[in-house]
Amino acid sequence: MLAGIKDFFYRHRRKFITTGVVLGGGIFLIKIIQYKIREFQERQAKEIAERFKRMQHFESTERTCNQTIVGLSPTVSEKALKDLSTSEILEKLRSNPDNKLELWDELKILAFSRIVTLVYASSMLAVTLKTQINLLGGYLYRDTVGQDDKQVTIDIQTTYLSMIQYFMGDGLDRLMEMIRKNVTVVMQRYSLKQQLTLADAETLFWSIQMALNNDEQSPTKHIAKYTLPQEVNRSDILSQMYDETLDVLENAEVADVCLSNVSNGFSLIVDKLAEYYAETEPSQTTPSSSKSALNVESLSNINTIKISLAKLIPIVNGLTSQALEGSIGSSSSNGLNGFEPRTNDMMSSLVARFMQSEKLKTLGVNVYETFCQ
């Protein structure tokens, strides 16, 4: 019997060998597949964990960025309102002087220069800080995961972020000077007696924007020249961060973000002016008409209503004359959507509107993603 079994195995030895090789190869292949699947799952889990960690870090960076913009906005606004103050001219006009016409012309320039400065300054501040803080956030994230040999120390962080202080001094002075020059050129086309519809007022702001955009020192095209110093105390990594910041701010896409904010800011101003236009012609309604009825009728005829430039100047001046007390608005826990401007605070309204700009948000995301890789 044993001989028969031996003979059976001998006669079918090739089949057994082939079967063994196939079974062994199949088991080996299964082991390889299981190993690859486990390796893929571990790699995927690691990527998800890193992505989640990066997302949390980015959200924290964005909250810091928005809070910094909000915190520095009053300083910018206060300097602009102080350096372009209209109070002295208004005081002289109250005394009915002989040079009243000259004073009105000066008030015209100052009033529009003030409000234009707030629009440009708030946009440039938001764009610069969005770039700086997200670039720094990318560097700090790389430090946390050990991707960089050079650590961004607290001193380097402080020095880097303090560069924006240049904008609060010399940079803002240069910006106001350039804006006032262009506003003067545009406003020379308008007489004090000229009647303006709301569309005419919008065209006036559009003309100022175009004049500034076409200027060789256009603030939207040369943001860094106004917001950052031309020289810094350089360590290797600080020098690298500074140069990279300049590269970002000089990018055409960033100029487009800043210009988009400016256009958005002027739209906000026109919206506020529309409220005054809507209240200009109550004489066409009966005394018993309700306020809501007056508003409906005024709004329906708003494109036909005209206001002289002499009457529009105090309105424009008034939009920038609200006192800034404390911080602008309030921030919710997410740091993105919780800014609520106070009713009469133009700077607060501008900053709050810019915070909601998809282009500005996208800029922050792109800068962070670029420098955390």
Side-chain angles (χ1 to χ4, degrees):
M1 183 177 178
L2 290 173
I5 294 172
K6 183 178 180 182
D7 183 59
F8 173 81
F9 275 104
Y10 181 78
R11 283 185 288 109
H12 297 282
R13 64 185 183 279
R14 292 184 178 179
K15 294 180 181 178
F16 283 112
I17 292 172
T18 301
T19 302
V21 170
V22 171
L23 289 176
I27 293 172
F28 181 72
L29 183 61
I30 290 173
K31 292 291 186 181
I32 290 178
I33 292 174
Q34 288 176 337
Y35 173 77
K36 291 296 183 181
I37 291 175
R38 187 163 57 249
E39 187 181 57
F40 172 76
Q41 290 174 334
E42 290 174 353
R43 186 169 62 250
Q44 191 175 47
K46 184 179 179 180
E47 289 176 356
I48 292 172
E50 288 179 354
R51 193 178 303 121
F52 181 72
K53 180 180 179 181
R54 191 162 67 236
M55 181 180 68
Q56 285 187 314
H57 189 260
F58 171 71
E59 290 176 351
S60 175
T61 300
E62 277 291 275
R63 284 195 295 271
T64 300
C65 180
N66 291 334
Q67 290 165 2
T68 304
I69 294 170
V70 166
L72 292 180
S73 294
T75 304
V76 174
S77 180
E78 287 167 5
K79 178 173 174 57
L81 298 184
K82 178 181 178 181
D83 291 2
L84 295 171
S85 175
T86 58
S87 58
E88 184 177 345
I89 294 179
L90 290 172
E91 189 65 30
K92 291 179 180 178
L93 284 171
R94 293 189 185 98
S95 63
N96 195 25
D98 295 334
N99 62 338
K100 184 164 56 177
L101 188 59
E102 294 177 8
L103 291 174
W104 268 103
D105 282 332
E106 180 65 17
L107 180 62
K108 175 178 68 175
I109 301 301
L110 282 175
F112 280 88
S113 295
R114 278 157 61 104
I115 202 163
V116 171
T117 296
L118 290 189
V119 172
Y120 274 86
S122 55
S123 175
M124 295 163 71
L125 179 71
V127 168
T128 301
L129 286 176
K130 186 70 73 170
T131 298
Q132 275 193 283
I133 294 177
N134 278 288
L135 186 148
L136 177 60
Y139 268 84
L140 294 178
Y141 176 78
R142 281 156 55 181
D143 284 351
T144 63
V145 296
Q147 292 183 9
D148 260 345
D149 295 333
K150 298 178 181 179
Q151 295 289 313
V152 182
T153 64
I154 295 295
D155 287 342
I156 291 176
Q157 294 177 44
T158 302
T159 303
Y160 176 68
L161 292 177
S162 66
M163 292 178 188
I164 195 65
Q165 292 296 326
Y166 174 80
F167 184 52
M168 311 298 173
D170 294 344
L172 193 54
D173 288 336
R174 290 181 58 202
L175 177 65
M176 287 187 290
E177 180 181 355
M178 200 266 296
I179 286 177
R180 182 166 179 170
K181 179 190 71 174
N182 282 275
V183 167
T184 301
V185 172
V186 173
M187 295 306 295
Q188 285 176 347
R189 309 169 196 165
Y190 294 83
S191 68
L192 294 171
K193 295 181 180 180
Q194 188 166 342
Q195 299 292 312
L196 302 176
T197 63
L198 184 61
D200 293 331
E202 186 174 16
T203 299
L204 192 160
F205 283 110
W206 179 83
S207 299
I208 293 173
Q209 182 179 344
M210 288 302 99
L212 289 167
N213 193 47
N214 293 328
D215 194 291
E216 291 182 356
Q217 301 299 319
S218 169
T220 56
K221 296 177 182 177
H222 305 286
I223 302 173
K225 289 185 178 180
Y226 295 92
T227 59
L228 298 179
Q230 301 304 304
E231 296 182 0
V232 293
N233 295 324
R234 297 181 172 224
S235 64
D236 289 343
I237 189 167
L238 182 62
S239 175
Q240 179 179 329
M241 292 171 68
Y242 175 77
D243 290 339
E244 288 170 339
T245 304
L246 292 183
D247 288 341
V248 173
L249 291 177
E250 290 171 356
N251 189 286
E253 293 181 6
V254 175
D256 180 64
V257 173
C258 190
L259 188 60
S260 176
N261 281 347
V262 169
S263 298
N264 207 353
F266 284 134
S267 294
L268 174 63
I269 293 171
V270 173
D271 288 344
K272 289 185 175 294
L273 292 180
E275 298 174 10
Y276 291 93
Y277 272 86
E279 299 172 358
T280 298
E281 293 198 315
S283 58
Q284 295 182 3
T285 63
T286 61
S288 60
S289 297
S290 67
K291 184 176 181 180
S292 60
L294 172 61
N295 287 337
V296 170
E297 183 174 349
S298 297
L299 287 171
S300 65
N301 298 318
I302 195 168
N303 290 326
T304 64
I305 299 172
K306 293 185 177 182
I307 298 178
S308 68
L309 180 58
K311 290 184 178 180
L312 193 62
I313 291 170
I315 296 172
V316 171
N317 189 58
L319 291 176
T320 59
S321 296
Q322 303 299 328
L324 293 170
E325 299 176 0
S327 63
I328 296 179
S330 60
S331 60
S332 67
S333 59
N334 64 13
L336 292 172
N337 300 318
F339 295 101
E340 298 178 359
R342 295 197 299 273
T343 304
N344 295 319
D345 188 342
M346 174 54 67
M347 192 69 171
S348 172
S349 298
L350 288 167
V351 169
R353 179 166 288 203
F354 295 161
M355 291 295 182
Q356 303 306 316
S357 166
E358 289 301 322
K359 286 188 175 183
L360 188 62
K361 292 178 183 179
T362 300
L363 172 63
V365 172
N366 290 341
V367 171
Y368 182 84
E369 288 294 330
T370 297
F371 290 97
C372 73
Q373 299 294 329

